[in-house]
Amino acid sequence: MEKSMSRLRNRELLHFKMLHDCGSEILRDLPADQRAIAEEKNRILKQVYGPVTKLIMQEHIENPFSRVYHEGFDGHYKNKNQILQEDFSCLDPVRALVESGCSFELTEHSGYNTLLVAYNNRLGGYQKAAEYLNFDAEGKTIEEIVQEIQGYTKHLPIIKEFLQGEGLFNFHLIREKWMGRNIDNTLRENERGILFLGRNHSGDAIKNQLINCQYSVLDPFAPWYENSQ
């Protein structure tokens, strides 16, 4: 038994730094000038993700992936089929990999989206909720976060589980830890996975949750992102 439990797991995860489209909920909340910029970005990404999908599928042919992970997929609000049917260009490579036989795995804790919805209810907009959680709420105590959303959600136990064990609130970091745990629990021995995650996320917290797993990063959007700053 000890020998079996201590056996090394030969696994690999490719962290794909992606640029994702702006969803309809966010677009609706944006001022007209910012909405026009976001819509133009969506238009460009729709064209760009064709070649990007070909790049990833060529990688898949040369060194096959077994499991696919995509930020936002927690299985609480939408199942995998609903996610794959969404009109987002950044999902094109995920759809292609799933069609080729890869398993599309839960990636996040359901408390992530639940917390976002709670703050949308509190602040009156998904853009306001996302900005608050990513910036203004950082450094608050977990108790403060829970107090702020009481009365704005029917799923407080799920949110508390998401925040369990944390001292101060850091939305990115908490999400990334759960992503790493979920990947570690589902990526099997001799399997290769690919994680699609926005460029504002660091991979350090994810990597730290993975046991005996080779970890690499692909960032094809780096030149575009740097030129647009």
Side-chain angles (χ1 to χ4, degrees):
M1 176 65 72
E2 290 183 3
K3 183 177 180 180
S4 175
M5 292 180 64
S6 64
R7 185 177 58 184
L8 293 180
R9 284 175 284 181
N10 182 28
R11 308 180 300 172
E12 181 183 354
L13 180 69
L14 175 62
H15 173 173
F16 185 93
K17 289 194 170 186
M18 69 172 183
L19 289 180
H20 43 70
D21 318 51
C22 193
S24 58
E25 295 93 347
I26 299 295
L27 285 173
R28 192 165 51 243
D29 293 338
L30 291 174
D33 56 338
Q34 295 181 28
R35 188 184 311 122
I37 294 173
E39 287 173 342
E40 175 62 12
K41 177 185 173 184
N42 283 1
R43 186 189 67 79
I44 295 172
L45 283 176
K46 195 172 187 66
Q47 298 174 336
V48 168
Y49 265 104
V52 167
T53 300
K54 290 181 180 179
L55 170 71
I56 293 172
M57 292 309 295
Q58 183 60 41
E59 174 72 16
H60 177 57
I61 292 171
E62 296 174 0
N63 190 2
F65 297 105
S66 301
R67 301 183 189 274
V68 184
Y69 304 87
H70 191 280
E71 73 167 84
F73 180 31
D74 68 2
H76 183 68
Y77 290 98
K78 295 177 182 178
N79 60 38
K80 63 180 65 177
N81 290 328
Q82 291 171 315
I83 292 286
L84 292 172
Q85 290 169 7
E86 289 187 323
D87 187 23
F88 286 102
S89 300
C90 63
L91 284 165
D92 287 350
V94 178
R95 284 186 274 262
L97 288 167
V98 171
E99 288 174 4
S100 73
C102 295
S103 176
F104 187 23
E105 299 289 343
L106 291 180
T107 308
E108 308 227 27
H109 189 283
S110 56
Y112 150 66
N113 276 321
T114 308
L115 186 60
L116 186 60
V117 170
Y119 273 100
N120 169 62
N121 296 337
R122 182 175 186 265
L123 300 175
Y126 279 100
Q127 179 69 13
K128 293 178 182 178
E131 289 179 354
Y132 182 84
L133 287 168
N134 284 312
F135 303 108
D136 299 334
E138 184 170 345
K140 289 194 172 189
T141 66
I142 299 304
E143 290 75 16
E144 288 177 302
I145 296 295
V146 171
Q147 289 174 2
E148 286 182 349
I149 57 171
Q150 286 186 358
Y152 294 97
T153 179
K154 297 179 181 179
H155 305 289
L156 195 58
I158 293 176
I159 294 174
K160 286 183 176 180
E161 182 182 89
F162 175 60
L163 302 174
Q164 186 175 4
E166 300 293 332
L168 299 179
F169 185 78
N170 183 319
F171 198 36
H172 273 329
L173 183 60
I174 296 171
R175 287 183 63 191
E176 290 157 4
K177 286 180 180 178
W178 277 107
M179 289 180 195
R181 291 168 191 158
N182 287 334
I183 294 169
D184 191 60
N185 287 333
T186 53
L187 191 60
R188 305 304 183 205
E189 187 173 5
N190 297 319
E191 287 188 340
R192 189 176 190 229
I194 181 169
L195 167 66
F196 294 90
L197 187 60
R199 296 192 77 259
N200 290 330
H201 286 272
S202 167
D204 292 341
I206 296 169
K207 184 178 180 180
N208 289 339
Q209 303 299 319
L210 303 175
I211 301 173
N212 300 319
C213 182
Q214 182 180 341
Y215 185 91
S216 57
V217 177
L218 180 62
D219 189 6
F221 292 106
W224 182 22
Y225 186 85
E226 291 164 2
N227 291 335
S228 65
Q229 298 305 298

